[in-house]
Amino acid sequence: MKTCLVVDDSRVIRKVARRILEDIGFDIAEASDGLEALAWCRAAMPDAVLLDWNMPVMTGIEFLKILRAEPGGERPTVVFCTVENDVDRIREALDCGADEYIMKPFDGDIIAVKFAEAGLT
């Protein structure tokens, strides 16, 4: 089974994303910020990361830059899931190594489609 690390400082968002992703066949791990996510990835690199941008301690974009430089860090498919909707911000995320981008609020259909487009399902 594929694994997905859900990284968001909102416990509610993590729980909603967990339920959706488990329904489409993923094992889930959770992190509340980029630093915690980095520790998860260093212990066991996931197949996918659903990543928020605005978080305390380490933002999603900071996490992504470090992840892509880690051994094996090029492997996870990273899907940003954020309220950031400025075209320049989306381009920045993609330029830093994100594979897909989802706007909040999201639902199960949006996640399923984006994960399929990214080749995860």
Side-chain angles (χ1 to χ4, degrees):
M1 185 173 281
K2 290 186 177 180
T3 58
C4 182
L5 176 61
V6 177
V7 187
D8 199 297
D9 58 323
S10 167
R11 187 175 155 293
V12 172
I13 295 291
R14 290 195 313 269
K15 296 303 176 194
V16 169
R18 171 186 281 278
R19 187 173 30 222
I20 291 167
L21 290 163
E22 285 176 341
D23 286 348
I24 60 175
F26 283 87
D27 279 334
I28 305 300
E30 296 180 27
S32 61
D33 61 57
L35 190 60
E36 187 180 343
L38 194 55
W40 272 103
C41 291
R42 287 176 174 160
M45 198 64 75
D47 297 298
V49 179
L50 184 66
L51 181 62
D52 186 25
W53 190 303
N54 298 305
M55 297 177 291
V57 184
M58 180 187 290
T59 68
I61 204 77
E62 291 168 333
F63 162 79
L64 180 58
K65 290 175 182 177
I66 295 169
L67 172 70
R68 291 305 192 208
E70 290 286 314
E74 73 288 346
R75 186 183 68 135
T77 300
V78 176
V79 178
F80 257 101
C81 182
T82 182
V83 297
E84 294 289 340
N85 63 359
D86 183 76
V87 173
D88 290 336
R89 299 290 266 184
I90 295 169
R91 173 61 35 215
E92 180 183 0
L94 297 173
D95 288 348
C96 287
D99 298 289
E100 277 293 344
Y101 204 93
I102 296 173
M103 299 300 305
K104 288 179 183 176
F106 59 87
D107 61 23
D109 291 338
I110 291 169
I111 287 183
V113 166
K114 288 294 187 174
F115 273 54
E117 287 175 356
L120 289 165
T121 58

